Amino acid sequence: MTKKIAVIGAGLAGLTFTSIMKANCDVKVFEKSRGVGGRMSTRKEPPFNFDHGAQFFKIKTSDFMNFFSELFTKQIIQPWSFKLAYFEGRHLRKIKIIKNADKFFVGVPHMDSILKHLSKSCDVILNTKIQKIVRKNNKWMIYDQNKNSYGSFDWIILSLPAEQSLELITKNISFYPLIKKIKMKSCFSLMVGRNQSMNLDFDAALIENEDIAWLAMNNSKPCRLNNHCLLVNSSYEYAAKNINTSKDKILKHLLNTTSNLINNKLVDSTMIKIHQWRYVEAECSPIDNYFIDHDNKVAMCGDWFINSRVEGAFLSANELSNEFI
């Protein structure tokens, strides 16, 4: 009999697992947001677009390269060549030229294009937050935020941040104590859209010893529109100290800090928004690359198992899928 599997979360880990398993199992993916992507999402604020999660990714394993082979052929994944600045506080130390051969990859025309392509062949239910899972007669029953039931499943796969998964699983799950110990780092993403160029000498920057840790001109990536889109990520330290600070104050502070760093007045920009990523990276990744409870038929995968990188999401889901093949 064909296994019925419910995957909760339509980020790269969830869609990787589904893509591998769909040939032999009946797999449904449930996503609380209006689109797929997770932290590979793209924020669309017409006429501006921001890759406000993962900025780029590297490929280190042949399995990951092979998994994305079709997307390379269709040029949905392309290398990003850009000028990368290194700052110590406000002091510019150097600018490095990142070439295509350095293989800093991005999705085209947006980072979420990768996930949209994967999801086309998957059964994905959007705008559906799974609020409750119940074990009954050796099956899993799942219910959404409106108490709607989606039937019974043999397995539940959680593709969620560790702390969010605690809202669903109970103490009888074998890996519950392991998840309970995991703490996640957060960050804020500032998005600034302008009609005129900022005339920077670089396209992206890594910043040390400052409240912002990364910035990038989104329009410097391949096949983007020419609108001037600046994405700024706060440091983990700043986010931890200001987790309960109002978003208005955080926006103003990050905007001023960025303005001073790049010597541009940003307050009069056409569009300014802030987004909080509550769960970005595990303070300490687990020893295992996934969790699985064979008795209760529930498992977990995600990028936070393996250094919170894009490839980590794939590797975690790919290794978990081997338990079912």
Side-chain angles (χ1 to χ4, degrees):
M1 185 177 292
T2 302
K3 288 188 180 73
K4 289 188 65 177
I5 303 175
V7 175
I8 302 175
L12 180 57
L15 290 178
T16 293
F17 180 87
T18 303
S19 297
I20 295 170
M21 298 303 302
K22 65 186 179 184
N24 299 308
C25 299
D26 179 5
V27 188
K28 288 188 183 296
V29 185
F30 298 88
E31 170 56 47
K32 67 178 181 179
S33 302
R34 61 185 178 182
V36 299
R39 287 200 308 108
M40 291 183 74
S41 299
T42 299
R43 179 76 168 263
K44 298 173 177 67
E45 298 282 349
F48 306 106
N49 297 305
F50 302 87
D51 296 330
H52 66 316
Q55 295 297 291
F56 60 85
F57 60 94
K58 305 280 283 182
I59 295 180
K60 296 182 179 180
T61 64
S62 58
D63 284 344
F64 193 33
M65 177 64 79
N66 292 336
F67 182 74
F68 275 158
S69 60
E70 182 181 355
L71 284 89
F72 276 103
T73 300
K74 294 184 175 182
Q75 296 190 320
I76 296 172
I77 296 176
Q78 295 185 28
W80 177 26
S81 59
F82 60 103
K83 296 178 181 178
L84 177 61
Y86 294 82
F87 282 86
E88 177 70 34
R90 296 186 189 178
H91 174 65
L92 176 61
R93 290 167 43 210
K94 64 177 180 179
I95 296 178
K96 180 180 179 181
I97 305 299
I98 304 297
K99 302 176 182 179
N100 284 352
D102 294 317
K103 298 180 179 179
F104 283 64
F105 295 113
V106 297
V108 171
H110 311 295
M111 190 62 84
D112 68 358
S113 300
I114 296 170
L115 282 299
K116 286 183 176 180
H117 179 81
L118 292 177
S119 69
K120 285 180 181 179
S121 59
C122 300
D123 186 358
V124 181
I125 302 174
L126 300 173
N127 295 307
T128 303
K129 181 178 181 180
I130 300 304
Q131 201 88 38
K132 187 178 181 181
I133 60 175
V134 178
R135 189 82 170 140
K136 185 177 181 181
N137 297 326
N138 293 320
K139 299 286 185 179
W140 283 105
M141 304 294 295
I142 66 174
Y143 302 88
D144 68 13
Q145 69 271 30
N146 298 315
K147 299 183 179 180
N148 295 315
S149 172
Y150 292 87
S152 62
F153 294 86
D154 298 302
W155 278 85
I156 296 283
I157 308 298
L158 301 172
S159 175
L160 301 169
E163 294 181 43
Q164 281 188 335
S165 68
L166 292 173
E167 299 173 8
L168 293 174
I169 66 171
T170 54
K171 294 180 180 179
N172 66 308
I173 302 300
S174 64
F175 51 80
Y176 180 92
L178 299 175
I179 296 176
K180 190 74 173 176
K181 294 178 181 178
I182 295 171
K183 303 300 179 185
M184 305 287 288
K185 299 176 183 178
S186 64
C187 85
F188 296 97
S189 291
L190 175 70
M191 293 160 281
V192 180
R194 294 174 64 86
N195 294 323
Q196 295 180 333
S197 172
M198 299 177 206
N199 297 315
L200 303 180
D201 294 327
F202 50 86
D203 302 305
L206 285 166
I207 306 104
E208 295 182 349
N209 299 320
E210 188 53 271
D211 290 340
I212 59 175
W214 167 267
L215 64 82
M217 295 303 302
N218 202 79
N219 48 293
S220 69
K221 297 177 181 179
C223 301
R224 266 56 174 181
L225 298 175
N226 290 326
N227 298 316
H228 304 286
C229 305
L230 175 65
L231 186 283
V232 181
N233 282 339
S234 76
S235 67
Y236 290 142
E237 293 77 14
Y238 174 81
K241 292 177 183 177
N242 291 275
I243 197 73
N244 295 316
T245 303
S246 73
K247 285 191 176 180
D248 284 342
K249 288 184 178 180
I250 291 169
L251 185 152
K252 289 177 182 178
H253 177 73
L254 295 181
L255 194 67
N256 289 335
T257 302
T258 306
S259 295
N260 292 332
L261 182 77
I262 66 174
N263 196 28
N264 263 263
K265 185 179 180 182
L266 299 177
V267 69
D268 59 352
S269 297
T270 307
M271 192 227 79
I272 305 172
K273 293 283 180 73
I274 191 92
H275 178 83
Q276 181 182 16
W277 294 102
R278 191 88 185 199
Y279 309 107
V280 178
E281 180 177 336
E283 292 182 1
C284 182
S285 294
I287 296 174
D288 300 312
N289 288 345
Y290 60 88
F291 292 148
I292 188 166
D293 183 334
H294 288 281
D295 292 332
N296 288 299
K297 292 184 169 54
V298 59
M300 283 195 74
C301 58
D303 62 359
W304 53 271
F305 279 93
I306 309 175
N307 299 322
S308 296
R309 299 290 184 262
V310 171
E311 187 165 12
F314 164 79
L315 292 173
S316 176
N318 186 49
E319 290 187 29
L320 174 59
S321 71
N322 291 330
E323 295 275 357
F324 296 82
I325 297 173

